[in-house]
Amino acid sequence: MINNAGGPAEGDTFDAGAGSILRQPKAVWATAGASVVAFMGIGLVDPILPSIAKGLDATPSQVSLLFTSYFLITAVAMLVTGFVSSRIGGKKTLLLGLALVVVFAGLAGTSGSVGELVGFRAGWGLGNALFVSTALAVIVGAAAGGSAAAILLYESALGLGMACGPLLGALLGNASWRYPFFGTAFLMAIGFLCITAFLKEQPRPAKKTSLLDPIKALGHGGLASAAVSAFFYNYTFFTVLAFTPFVLNMTPYKSGAVFFCWGLLLAVFSVIVAPRMQARFGSLKVLGGSLVLLAADVLVLGYGNHTTAVVCTILSGAFIGVNNTVYTELALGVSDAPRPVASAGYNFVRWFAAAAAPYFAPKIEEWSDIHIPFVVAAITAAVGAVVVYVRRNALSHEAEELQPKHATEDSVAVFAG
């Protein structure tokens, strides 16, 4: 039953509607559909990075700034999204984010230089941050069947978007590197119209969020430890995502297929495998082991032949999926800060690494050779594991009390920001 505000009836509970995921209001489907496209935007440019470099006569390091500008703005926006949504409401924040994505994704397709493209991608990052950080709360507020069904639907949107982004980039980018940007703008414009038509305004939080609240939350030792370790891990993550396409040097179709398989592994291991491993071995052991395995995988990727590089790229999705789930649970539960505030502080730190890796990886190759960027990425993953081990006492209380059944909720909340 749906209440007058478009959300679940008062009798719904967290476990009440796991089987009703497909019976949702139009507002939920509109928001979930736009969420798929929003997450697609993260990996959309992967298969077309070499094509963009060729089309704009740019170097790999210049083209990789598409990720740097995007995630640098995303990191800073983590301090702003809660401030904005707590003042203007969820629906208006979603529409503002969507409008920015439509405008800047469309402008990106018209770029005449790599500098213009990087700038438009930054505006896209701001819009995406506003939208993604608000979408989960809106879906939960409007969904039928309780929180479980809503969270599962949103997690499905996340996985589908991460997997299909490279695929869409390949399909459209094979004709022209400009088409994926125009395609994203078109799909987000449809999402804007659907949310305008079907989503009712959501209640505003009782307490407004300050710009400094996420920074203050990082004063907690456990949250700071999780954020610092995740910073080093994210450098490895986005070295794989942003630099590997240049190493593979494949056609958009083949590169898109590789990262589609990578995205599928990421989604499966994040949602299904990681919680089961945590229940059996414990969160910190799973995280430390996965980081070490990721370091080894990236090192082999850098020094192996082409076939080995393809296999290791796909396999890295499994380790990344496990790491994402465990990190996000730790970040949300280790401190007494409200989850949205803890999430914002954690993401503020870790997204800076996502901005740094795409810039430094090709620069390191220019200064040395093609292998060294992966050596650095392997080292950063290992450093992340060391931080987890050294700071295990600050993290162990949370790791012992984590309930794997909440993995999906926590993973989505922090990944979304």
Side-chain angles (χ1 to χ4, degrees):
M1 181 181 298
I2 307 302
N3 61 24
N4 292 332
E10 292 182 2
D12 291 337
T13 63
F14 182 86
D15 297 318
S20 62
I21 183 174
L22 298 180
R23 291 184 290 180
Q24 299 293 342
K26 293 179 181 179
V28 173
W29 287 117
T31 307
S35 297
V36 172
V37 182
F39 285 117
M40 287 169 60
I42 295 177
L44 179 80
V45 299
D46 253 34
I48 57 173
L49 287 175
S51 299
I52 294 173
K54 182 178 179 181
L56 295 178
D57 193 23
T59 65
S61 61
Q62 290 174 322
V63 173
S64 293
L65 289 174
L66 291 174
F67 284 99
T68 297
S69 62
Y70 183 91
F71 286 112
L72 184 62
I73 295 300
T74 298
V76 176
M78 289 301 106
L79 304 179
V80 178
T81 52
F83 177 88
V84 173
S85 63
S86 65
R87 284 163 173 77
I88 68 174
K91 179 177 180 179
K92 291 179 181 177
T93 303
L94 288 180
L95 293 177
L96 176 60
L98 286 171
L100 288 172
V101 173
V102 170
V103 171
F104 284 105
L107 288 173
T110 67
S111 299
S113 68
V114 69
E116 288 183 7
L117 186 54
V118 168
F120 293 142
R121 180 77 167 166
W124 183 347
L126 175 60
N128 217 50
L130 288 169
F131 174 83
V132 171
S133 64
T134 311
L136 175 61
V138 170
I139 288 178
V140 171
S147 297
I151 291 166
L152 181 58
L153 182 63
Y154 188 87
E155 177 70 13
S156 301
L158 188 157
L160 184 62
M162 289 294 291
C164 292
L167 198 60
L168 178 67
L171 293 174
L172 296 179
N174 193 61
S176 170
W177 65 264
R178 299 180 186 273
Y179 290 169
F181 298 110
F182 293 139
T184 300
F186 176 75
L187 291 174
M188 285 304 233
I190 294 177
F192 183 96
L193 294 175
C194 290
I195 288 177
T196 300
F198 300 125
L199 179 64
K200 296 181 179 180
E201 185 56 80
Q202 304 296 295
R204 301 182 188 181
K207 181 181 178 181
K208 294 181 179 179
T209 301
S210 165
L211 290 174
L212 295 180
D213 283 349
I215 300 296
K216 293 177 181 178
L218 290 170
H220 186 279
L223 181 60
S225 299
V228 170
S229 180
F231 174 89
F232 288 106
Y233 153 67
N234 259 36
Y235 185 95
T236 307
F237 178 177
F238 285 93
T239 296
V240 173
L241 188 63
F243 183 64
T244 303
F246 292 106
V247 176
L248 298 180
N249 194 26
M250 304 167 76
T251 65
Y253 279 138
K254 292 181 179 179
S255 183
V258 168
F259 280 96
F260 174 72
C261 294
W262 169 87
L264 286 180
L265 276 185
L266 188 154
V268 170
F269 273 75
S270 177
V271 179
I272 300 174
V273 178
R276 296 179 181 181
M277 293 179 65
Q278 288 174 266
R280 182 171 181 178
F281 301 107
S283 295
L284 296 187
K285 289 182 180 179
V286 170
L287 180 58
S290 182
L291 285 169
V292 171
L293 290 174
L294 177 61
D297 178 80
V298 170
L299 197 60
V300 174
L301 192 165
Y303 280 94
N305 58 28
H306 188 268
T307 300
T308 301
V310 170
V311 172
C312 287
T313 298
I314 295 173
L315 184 59
S316 70
F319 305 127
I320 289 170
V322 170
N323 292 338
N324 284 349
T325 292
V326 182
Y327 268 123
T328 53
E329 287 186 4
L330 291 174
L332 283 176
V334 75
S335 73
D336 56 0
R339 284 187 171 185
V341 175
S343 170
Y346 167 78
N347 279 288
F348 174 71
V349 174
R350 76 179 185 119
W351 284 129
F352 276 110
Y359 174 77
F360 284 110
K363 285 293 185 182
I364 291 171
E365 181 199 8
E366 294 174 7
W367 299 332
S368 54
D369 59 54
I370 199 169
H371 307 296
I372 303 303
F374 294 101
V375 174
V376 173
I379 292 173
T380 55
V383 170
V386 170
V387 172
V388 170
Y389 177 77
V390 172
R391 297 291 296 169
R392 62 190 181 278
N393 290 335
L395 297 169
S396 60
H397 176 71
E398 164 60 17
E400 290 171 0
E401 295 188 355
L402 281 176
Q403 298 297 319
K405 67 182 180 180
H406 296 309
T408 301
E409 177 183 4
D410 292 348
S411 177
V412 172
V414 167
F415 192 91

